[in-house]
Amino acid sequence: MDQEFLKRLLATFRIESEEHVSSMSARLIKLESIKDKKEIEDLTEDLYREAHSLKGAARAVGIMEIEAVCRTLETVFSTLKKGSVQPSREVFDLLHRMINLIHSFTVGYSEEDKISAFGDYDSIVEKLNTIFENQPNAPQIEESPLSEQAVSKARMSAAEANTSKDDSGSPVQPEETVRIPAWQLDSLLLKVEDLLSVKISFDHMLENLNELSLRIADWKKDWNKIRLSYGISRSEGKKALKGEELLSGFIEKNSGNMAFLEEKLNSISRIGRTSAYELNSKFRTVSDEIRNTLMFPASYILEAFPKIVRDLSAELGREVRLELSGRDVKVDRRILDELKEPLIHLIRNAVDHGVEPPAERIENGKAAEGRIFIGVAGIGGSLVEITVSDDGKGIATESLKDAALRRGIISQAQADQMDDAQAMDLIFMSEVSSSPVITDISGRGLGMPIVKEKVNKLGGSLHVHTTPGKGTTFRLSLPVTLTTLRGVIVKVSEQLFVVPSGFVEQISRIKTSEIKTAESRETVLHNNMPVSLIYLQDLLGLRRRQEKNRPEHLTALIVSVSGRTAALAIDSLIDEGEVLFKPFNKQLQKVRNLSGATILGSGRLAVILNPDELMDSIQAGSMSTSFEAAAMERGPGSILVADDSITSRILLKDILESAGYNVTLAVDGVDALARIKTGSFDLIVTDVEMPRMNGFDLTRSIRQDDKLKSTPVVLITALSSPEDKTRGIDSGADAYVVKSSFDQSNLLEVIQRLI
């Protein structure tokens, strides 16, 4: 087979495989929660067909491992459909693990991974057979079809029919589709959107033509009045002077030229209006149709989240129910792609930080099962709001203040003056986390800044609300599409800016005599409530217009973002309408308060502002990050490493010394405690399972010593169960790193955050 063709075929298979895996995962999760017999039969039939179709596709491209796994899944799904087996939580866990194997075989794997996957598969089959032994009607699953002999036999076996059939036995004809690379659609849409600039310019030209026509009409009216009053073109029997004759002739000729100009101008205007109507109609049709190809239902990303929640809750020992709403709400695919990572961060935080362990929830009078809700809803046709909420323990603002203080982000005086809303904003600062411990899942204080950065990049806003003991809600407001937006065009310091209309509550003309001062900041009344008055020039670092006297009135935009409201003073209001949104390239994406640019119909460039970042700038005040300076003053840190394995000690010593730290070694917990009491260390890295004194006991001893209790402790261990992680947290550890997911850069990142 031609290698280039095979490469394209494998690329197509990967896309198809991901669709099947995603569909099976979603259906499997749904199957766990339903009781209706008919619905169970329908779902298991769907699962069987998905596995069967994927098996045939895998055989076509020669990936026999996936074919073998799918054959086993077919057997199990067929058994479940017949009711021969009563499915349990353990059976579902094993099926999810098997589907995960398909994903790993699809994305590519090394020989070591392949051997590991074969072993995992054999273990799953063995456990399934053990479960089925106790159920008389259950079949026995054949021994591993992933062995070389079985794979070879599978290659030689006759191809099975791979077409799904309906109830009558007739093949089901799929809807005819064509796979097109997403980048081609994006490129096509961008080219069509560029026509919007042409359309806007054409509309602007028509406005100029109409203005000229009105001016000529006014001139004609005035000219006729003069002619009638002074009889310029008639001598009425009187002999005119030669000069008067020349003047009269010139005026008459000028009048004829103006009449000709008027006729031609009217003709151009009529043609222009007709052309503009056709251009607008065809542009809108083509633009909408192409844009609709990129408008995907929110289920495009939502369907992946139930499995993520299920796997995380199982790993952390939580019981969590995920509720989804708004699957059919359509959003620009590019926005959905950008949102996937932030939403996964929010989900991980909700499961890890928010929802409590079952025993703790019951003790607090809650149901053992926690609830996470993700809802998508359209707002006014141009915005979409995504809500992520949980019914967990909420976010402790005092913990955020303490974390920010430790990192040198705020001073004690600033912490004392902060209200809950200001303290909550700290969650979006890098390396600030409310988690008492760092794990391989969360606690590094990096997730929320990423969420904030992504939302700002998309021109949206993010708001968080928490109630201690009740839960936390995040609201993300974003444009439905990245292509166009409605905006208020304003002039500031002779430059043009666009503020998205969705965030502008009102445009006000404010008397300067009504401006008051509160806490050294100018304020105005809005809905009988004082709001800060900020000059947009000041926020953007531009010079204010020089005026001899203070004007009697100011023009201001009342902007509201995620419950925060402010009045932005501007020089003048230009217009309000639809503009083509052009995001900045990578060099400008980090420029604060700006999100993109547009070309107006007049040909002038206007910068599109980011309301959420504008609000952050207003509220930031004197808060600044001084962590880098503090780190430079502190110099290299001193670290004690405790581990009974000489190999592990040497490896950790090499990693840490290469990063510039001074390292001291201890052979176990007793040796480590003795060295800690006689030396001075900025941080302790310790194994858990050690002779004489384990890592948990070592950590407790450090926390019970008044002189040592503030020293950060990082546990590095092979123990990965939720119970072990809970013991680590209870002992007072600041971070818990599992050796199976150990990564050198992650360890250094954790240490940098703690000292």
Side-chain angles (χ1 to χ4, degrees):
M1 184 182 293
D2 179 74
Q3 290 299 314
E4 189 62 32
F5 173 73
L6 179 59
K7 186 177 179 181
R8 292 198 302 271
L9 192 63
L10 285 171
T12 302
F13 172 76
R14 287 192 183 95
I15 297 172
E16 182 181 358
S17 175
E18 288 174 5
E19 292 173 355
H20 285 303
V21 167
S22 176
S23 178
M24 282 193 286
S25 295
R27 285 182 165 89
L28 203 55
I29 288 171
K30 186 176 181 181
L31 189 62
E32 286 187 77
S33 61
I34 60 175
K35 304 295 182 184
D36 182 75
K37 184 177 179 181
K38 179 65 170 61
E39 196 173 357
I40 290 174
E41 289 179 358
D42 291 342
L43 269 177
T44 49
E45 173 66 17
D46 290 341
L47 283 163
Y48 178 87
R49 291 188 179 192
E50 292 279 358
H52 182 73
S53 297
L54 182 56
K55 181 182 74 173
R59 184 190 300 114
V61 295
I63 304 181
M64 311 312 292
E65 297 90 344
I66 293 180
E67 181 191 359
V69 173
C70 288
R71 186 181 298 111
T72 302
L73 287 172
E74 280 182 326
T75 302
V76 177
F77 292 148
S78 176
T79 303
L80 291 177
K81 182 186 176 185
K82 294 174 183 176
S84 304
V85 170
Q86 294 301 316
S88 63
R89 171 87 182 192
E90 186 178 5
V91 170
F92 282 117
D93 286 342
L94 293 171
L95 290 174
H96 277 292
R97 284 176 58 189
M98 198 170 292
I99 290 174
N100 288 343
L101 280 180
I102 295 175
H103 179 72
S104 66
F105 284 134
T106 303
V107 299
Y109 49 90
S110 64
E111 285 303 315
E112 292 78 6
D113 293 334
K114 183 177 179 180
I115 293 170
S116 174
F118 285 175
D120 195 19
Y121 176 82
D122 289 338
S123 172
I124 293 170
V125 171
E126 183 180 347
K127 289 179 181 177
L128 283 172
N129 280 327
T130 301
I131 295 170
F132 290 173
E133 281 177 1
N134 300 322
Q135 303 189 40
N137 296 323
Q140 185 75 10
I141 299 174
E142 296 179 6
E143 63 181 25
S144 175
L146 288 179
S147 65
E148 289 186 12
Q149 182 179 359
V151 171
S152 176
K153 187 184 294 184
R155 289 182 186 276
M156 298 171 60
S157 64
E160 298 180 15
N162 191 33
T163 305
S164 299
K165 298 181 179 180
D166 58 20
D167 295 336
S168 65
S170 302
V172 177
Q173 296 298 327
E175 183 179 347
E176 187 174 350
T177 59
V178 177
R179 291 188 185 275
I180 300 175
W183 68 265
Q184 287 187 354
L185 284 176
D186 292 343
S187 176
L188 184 59
L189 180 59
L190 287 173
K191 287 180 173 64
V192 171
E193 286 167 354
D194 285 338
L195 292 176
L196 180 60
S197 298
V198 178
K199 184 185 85 68
I200 293 173
S201 297
F202 197 81
D203 290 341
H204 187 69
M205 181 192 71
L206 278 180
E207 289 176 7
N208 290 337
L209 285 174
N210 290 333
E211 188 176 345
L212 284 173
S213 296
L214 290 174
R215 289 290 182 92
I216 290 176
D218 287 343
W219 176 89
K220 187 176 179 180
K221 188 186 298 181
D222 293 339
W223 174 239
N224 286 332
K225 287 180 181 178
I226 292 172
R227 289 179 62 182
L228 290 173
S229 299
Y230 296 97
I232 290 175
S233 63
R234 301 175 180 84
S235 60
E236 297 181 357
K238 297 179 181 178
K239 188 176 182 180
L241 298 175
K242 187 175 182 180
E244 290 175 346
E245 288 178 355
L246 290 173
L247 178 60
S248 178
F250 171 77
I251 292 175
E252 281 301 312
K253 184 178 180 180
N254 187 46
S255 178
N257 288 338
M258 291 298 288
F260 176 80
L261 180 60
E262 180 184 27
E263 180 184 350
K264 292 299 182 184
L265 191 57
N266 288 337
S267 175
I268 293 172
S269 295
R270 284 194 301 272
I271 295 171
R273 284 192 294 272
T274 302
S275 299
Y277 175 79
E278 292 180 358
L279 175 62
N280 287 342
S281 176
K282 291 177 180 178
F283 168 78
R284 184 58 62 191
T285 299
V286 174
S287 177
D288 287 348
E289 287 184 4
I290 294 179
R291 188 180 291 120
N292 285 338
T293 64
L294 290 175
M295 296 294 285
F296 281 34
S299 58
Y300 173 69
I301 58 172
L302 292 182
E303 297 301 340
F305 296 154
K307 180 169 175 54
I308 292 173
V309 171
R310 188 188 190 281
D311 292 346
L312 276 176
S313 57
E315 181 180 349
L316 295 169
R318 309 281 201 270
E319 294 180 14
V320 183
R321 180 179 77 258
L322 176 64
E323 296 178 5
L324 300 174
S325 174
R327 288 180 174 89
D328 297 330
V329 176
K330 289 195 172 183
V331 184
D332 192 317
R333 179 191 58 78
R334 293 166 295 181
I335 290 178
L336 292 175
D337 284 339
E338 291 289 335
L339 281 178
K340 188 171 183 180
E341 182 185 5
L343 290 177
I344 288 175
H345 278 298
L346 293 178
I347 290 170
R348 291 166 72 93
N349 283 350
V351 177
D352 195 13
H353 298 329
V355 177
E356 311 93 329
E360 184 179 334
R361 290 179 64 87
I362 293 172
E363 184 179 342
N364 293 331
K366 296 182 178 181
E369 183 182 60
R371 172 183 176 270
I372 295 176
F373 170 79
I374 304 177
V376 183
I379 304 175
S382 61
L383 293 175
V384 62
E385 183 175 80
I386 300 176
T387 303
V388 181
S389 64
D390 65 72
D391 65 348
K393 58 190 174 185
I395 300 172
T397 54
E398 290 302 319
S399 298
L400 293 175
K401 290 183 188 179
D402 291 342
L405 280 168
R406 288 197 303 271
R407 305 307 297 159
I409 292 172
I410 59 174
S411 65
Q412 185 62 58
Q414 288 173 326
D416 294 340
Q417 293 174 0
M418 279 185 173
D419 58 25
D420 286 344
Q422 291 171 325
M424 190 58 64
D425 284 340
L426 292 170
I427 200 172
F428 300 116
M429 292 193 170
S430 182
E431 301 183 344
V432 174
S433 174
S434 61
S435 175
V437 66
I438 302 173
T439 69
D440 51 324
I441 293 176
S442 61
R444 291 177 172 81
L446 300 175
M448 293 313 303
I450 290 174
V451 175
K452 179 86 167 177
E453 181 180 330
K454 287 281 188 180
V455 172
N456 285 342
K457 178 184 173 184
L458 294 170
S461 65
L462 174 62
H463 180 62
V464 57
H465 173 76
T466 188
T467 303
K470 299 293 184 182
T472 303
T473 298
F474 291 88
R475 296 191 188 279
L476 290 70
S477 296
L478 298 138
V480 172
T481 177
L482 283 179
T483 56
T484 61
L485 60 83
R486 291 200 68 82
V488 179
I489 304 168
V490 301
K491 181 183 283 188
V492 173
S493 297
E494 301 306 317
Q495 298 186 45
L496 298 179
F497 297 92
V498 180
V499 181
S501 297
F503 300 100
V504 179
E505 279 192 10
Q506 183 179 321
I507 300 171
S508 296
R509 188 170 169 80
I510 302 168
K511 290 183 178 180
T512 52
S513 59
E514 295 176 352
I515 299 173
K516 308 297 181 184
T517 301
E519 297 180 356
S520 302
R521 177 167 286 181
E522 291 185 322
T523 63
V524 294
L525 286 179
H526 173 63
N527 293 335
N528 295 320
M529 293 292 292
V531 298
S532 297
L533 173 66
I534 308 296
Y535 290 85
L536 189 52
Q537 292 99 320
D538 296 344
L539 277 180
L540 301 177
L542 302 173
R543 262 185 208 175
R544 289 200 202 178
R545 186 171 55 189
Q546 296 297 321
E547 295 178 348
K548 293 181 179 180
N549 300 310
R550 190 175 189 184
E552 293 184 6
H553 293 86
L554 288 177
T555 302
L557 306 181
I558 307 299
V559 179
S560 182
V561 182
S562 303
R564 300 176 292 174
T565 304
L568 296 180
I570 60 175
D571 291 346
S572 59
L573 176 68
I574 303 300
D575 197 1
E576 196 270 345
E578 188 176 46
V579 297
L580 179 64
F581 177 85
K582 290 289 187 182
F584 287 133
N585 56 25
K586 291 182 179 180
Q587 290 87 344
L588 295 175
Q589 282 180 358
K590 297 293 185 181
V591 179
R592 192 164 182 77
N593 301 323
L594 313 180
S595 61
T598 187
I599 302 294
L600 303 177
S602 61
R604 290 193 63 182
L605 173 73
V607 176
I608 299 171
L609 301 178
N610 186 310
D612 197 48
E613 288 191 348
L614 287 174
M615 285 297 181
D616 289 344
S617 297
I618 292 170
Q619 292 191 345
S622 59
M623 188 182 298
S624 61
T625 303
S626 58
F627 170 67
E628 291 82 1
M632 291 182 68
E633 292 176 4
R634 191 166 52 234
S638 179
I639 297 177
L640 175 71
V641 174
D643 199 310
D644 61 321
S645 165
I646 186 171
T647 303
S648 296
R649 290 199 303 273
I650 293 174
L651 173 63
L652 289 170
K653 184 174 187 291
D654 182 64
I655 291 172
L656 296 175
E657 286 186 340
S658 297
Y661 295 104
N662 298 319
V663 180
T664 301
L665 300 177
V667 297
D668 58 26
V670 173
D671 183 25
L673 191 60
R675 292 178 183 275
I676 293 169
K677 290 185 176 181
T678 58
S680 177
F681 300 98
D682 295 307
L683 182 135
I684 313 298
V685 176
T686 177
D687 186 20
V688 170
E689 298 176 295
M690 297 184 295
R692 296 203 292 172
M693 178 184 286
N694 63 36
F696 293 143
D697 292 336
L698 172 61
T699 305
R700 291 191 191 94
S701 298
I702 293 171
R703 293 292 174 253
Q704 291 168 2
D705 190 312
D706 290 338
K707 294 181 179 179
L708 305 174
K709 63 182 180 182
S710 62
T711 305
V713 178
V714 177
L715 296 176
I716 299 184
T717 175
L719 303 177
S720 59
S721 71
E723 293 78 15
D724 290 320
K725 291 183 181 180
T726 300
R727 286 181 65 194
I729 295 171
D730 292 342
S731 68
D734 296 278
Y736 195 99
V737 179
V738 180
K739 288 183 178 179
S740 61
S741 59
F742 176 79
D743 180 84
Q744 174 177 328
S745 60
N746 283 347
L747 174 63
L748 295 175
E749 176 189 306
V750 168
I751 292 174
Q752 184 183 22
R753 180 179 180 273
L754 292 175
I755 65 174

